[in-house]
Amino acid sequence: MDEKRIADFFAELVSIDSPSLEEREMADTLKIKFAEIGVTLTEDHTQEQTGSNAGNLSARIPGSLAGAPVLFAAHMDTVEPAKGKKAVSHEDGTVTSDGTTVLGADDLAGVTAIYEAVRHLIKTKTPHRPIEILISTGEELYCKGANAFDYSQVQAKEAYVLDLSGAIGAAAYAAPTLVSFAAKIQGKAAHAGFHPEDGINSIQAAACAIAQLPQGHVDESTTANIGEIGGGSGTNIVSESCVIEGEIRSLNHETAMELLETYHRTFQQEVEKIGAKLVWEEKLNIHAYETPLTSDAARHYESAVAEEGLTAAFEKTFGGSDNNVFAQHGIEGLVIATSMNQVHSCAEYTKIPEIAQVARIVANLAAPQEA
């Protein structure tokens, strides 16, 4: 696998603006690029559900080896700041942005590795298992594209999502449920100097509730955070309204939902104590999963990594990915390290030799020695 070709392909993708829900140009480019190596990417029509200007891209490549198909997945959107990205190459093979935007290695390094692996298998006529590809939109917005995708189009029950930071060989086999919430408290305004007793202070209710609630690491598998609070209209006015927003994550779905109910109940109790009203909003963004380390996905990954002289390192993560969605559709998968570092920042970087290494691991997964 040619590192210069990989670097050029990656740099071309990086130069395309593809913030979440604005993936049109990226989708069009990927369809052309994959067609050049004999792979037809089919675009679905999920735009109405996701709000994107493009659909998810998928493909099925027949295999010459017997066995069930394997699914490789990545996403084409990037977080902001993402307008005007460009790849800046360094002599040691590291690639950064110019420091004013993210690089987009999350997840264009993953897209590049899948492309290069498939190109290699096709050009060398290497016998391989049937391959399925899914490149989603809106992944950074709680997996919008993957959630909207029609999984009747997928035959694979084994998946590898190229979307993890860390040393090459690492793989996440468990990820959390993530729920977000908003507590909207409605009190009553009054003059804070002359008639404070006529008011109902929404901030007071919020403070009393927050003081009782666990935050940070609730246990080794669960975190909770109140991240935003706003309210009031002046220091001389009893606060009429207040909004508190936060999230809960847990590797155990039931634990997350129980803690969410504790948050709701606590806010409700404190609001009622002072005669205010509560409007509670909550959203299940992603559902926890854990792929058994005895699964085909873990066993095959361990072998594919070993072919590269590496040792697979299985870990749990507190970040979500499209793999959370796959698990809800009966697909056992791993999220694998893909040379994306300091993601979601302007210091993001990748290394071309590592992308090449990931591409070889993907090729090994599609064409296992044991087959």
Side-chain angles (χ1 to χ4, degrees), residues 65-86:
L65 296 178
V70 57
L71 172 64
F72 297 111
H75 62 88
M76 67 182 95
D77 63 315
T78 62
V79 298
E80 297 279 16
K83 300 289 178 65
K85 303 189 314 303
K86 63 179 180 180

Side-chain angles (χ1 to χ4, degrees), residues 3-216:
E3 291 185 8
K4 183 180 185 306
R5 182 176 61 242
I6 292 172
D8 290 344
F9 185 83
F10 177 77
E12 182 175 354
L13 295 189
V14 165
S15 69
I16 299 169
D17 291 341
S18 58
S20 298
L21 308 186
E22 297 180 33
E23 300 98 342
R24 178 72 272 151
E25 185 180 355
M26 182 65 74
D28 290 340
T29 299
L30 291 176
K31 286 192 284 188
I32 292 169
K33 291 295 183 181
F34 274 83
E36 289 173 351
I37 61 171
V39 176
T40 300
L41 288 176
T42 300
E43 184 174 353
D44 66 14
H45 302 285
T46 52
Q47 291 93 322
E48 286 190 9
Q49 295 149 274
T50 65
S52 174
N53 59 7
N56 299 302
L57 303 178
S58 62
R60 180 177 292 116
I61 304 170
S64 51
L65 296 178
V70 57
L71 172 64
F72 297 111
H75 62 88
M76 67 182 95
D77 63 315
T78 62
V79 298
E80 297 279 16
K83 300 289 178 65
K85 303 189 314 303
K86 63 179 180 180
V88 179
S89 298
H90 303 268
E91 289 185 3
D92 64 352
T94 300
V95 181
T96 65
S97 72
D98 65 4
T100 64
T101 69
V102 298
L103 173 62
D106 178 12
D107 191 20
L108 299 176
V111 174
T112 299
I114 292 171
Y115 171 87
E116 181 65 19
V118 170
R119 182 188 185 283
H120 170 77
L121 293 171
I122 292 172
K123 295 296 184 183
T124 61
K125 299 181 180 179
T126 301
H128 60 80
R129 296 193 279 168
I131 296 170
E132 295 180 331
I133 297 170
L134 176 58
I135 305 175
S136 64
T137 61
E139 189 274 346
E140 298 290 1
L141 302 177
Y142 299 124
C143 310
K144 279 182 175 286
N147 274 305
F149 188 69
D150 177 7
Y151 287 90
S152 68
Q153 304 299 309
V154 176
Q155 297 177 7
K157 296 298 180 184
E158 174 186 343
Y160 301 92
V161 179
L162 283 73
D163 193 14
L164 185 69
S165 297
I168 306 305
Y173 68 96
T177 284
L178 194 164
V179 289
S180 54
F181 62 85
K184 300 180 178 180
I185 302 173
Q186 187 65 39
K188 180 182 177 183
H191 195 290
F194 290 101
H195 303 289
E197 65 279 0
D198 292 340
I200 300 175
N201 196 315
S202 62
I203 292 178
Q204 178 186 358
C208 289
I210 292 169
Q212 300 175 54
L213 292 168
Q215 292 192 62

Side-chain angles (χ1 to χ4, degrees), residues 69-73 129 132 154 156-162 172 291 296-298 301 322-323 326-327 331-336 365:
V70 57
L71 172 64
F72 297 111
R129 296 193 279 168
E132 295 180 331
V154 176
K157 296 298 180 184
E158 174 186 343
Y160 301 92
V161 179
L162 283 73
T291 299
D296 285 345
Y301 184 70
D322 285 346
N323 204 44
F326 296 167
I331 303 169
E332 290 189 326
L334 300 173
V335 189
I336 68 174
L365 287 164

Side-chain angles (χ1 to χ4, degrees), residues 249-284:
R249 300 183 188 219
S250 181
L251 295 170
N252 182 291
H253 178 74
E254 289 72 24
T255 298
M257 302 313 291
E258 288 171 5
L259 184 56
L260 181 66
E261 178 53 33
T262 296
Y263 265 61
H264 184 185
R265 184 173 61 250
T266 302
F267 274 103
Q268 188 67 55
Q269 290 171 347
E270 294 304 319
V271 163
E272 290 178 355
K273 281 182 183 179
I274 66 170
K277 295 180 180 179
L278 175 69
V279 175
W280 179 261
E281 297 176 356
E282 61 185 53
K283 182 181 180 183
L284 173 60

Side-chain angles (χ1 to χ4, degrees), residues 333-349:
L334 300 173
V335 189
I336 68 174
T338 314
S339 194
M340 51 180 73
N341 305 283
Q342 297 189 35
V343 299
H344 294 200
S345 80
C346 295
E348 183 183 15
Y349 70 93

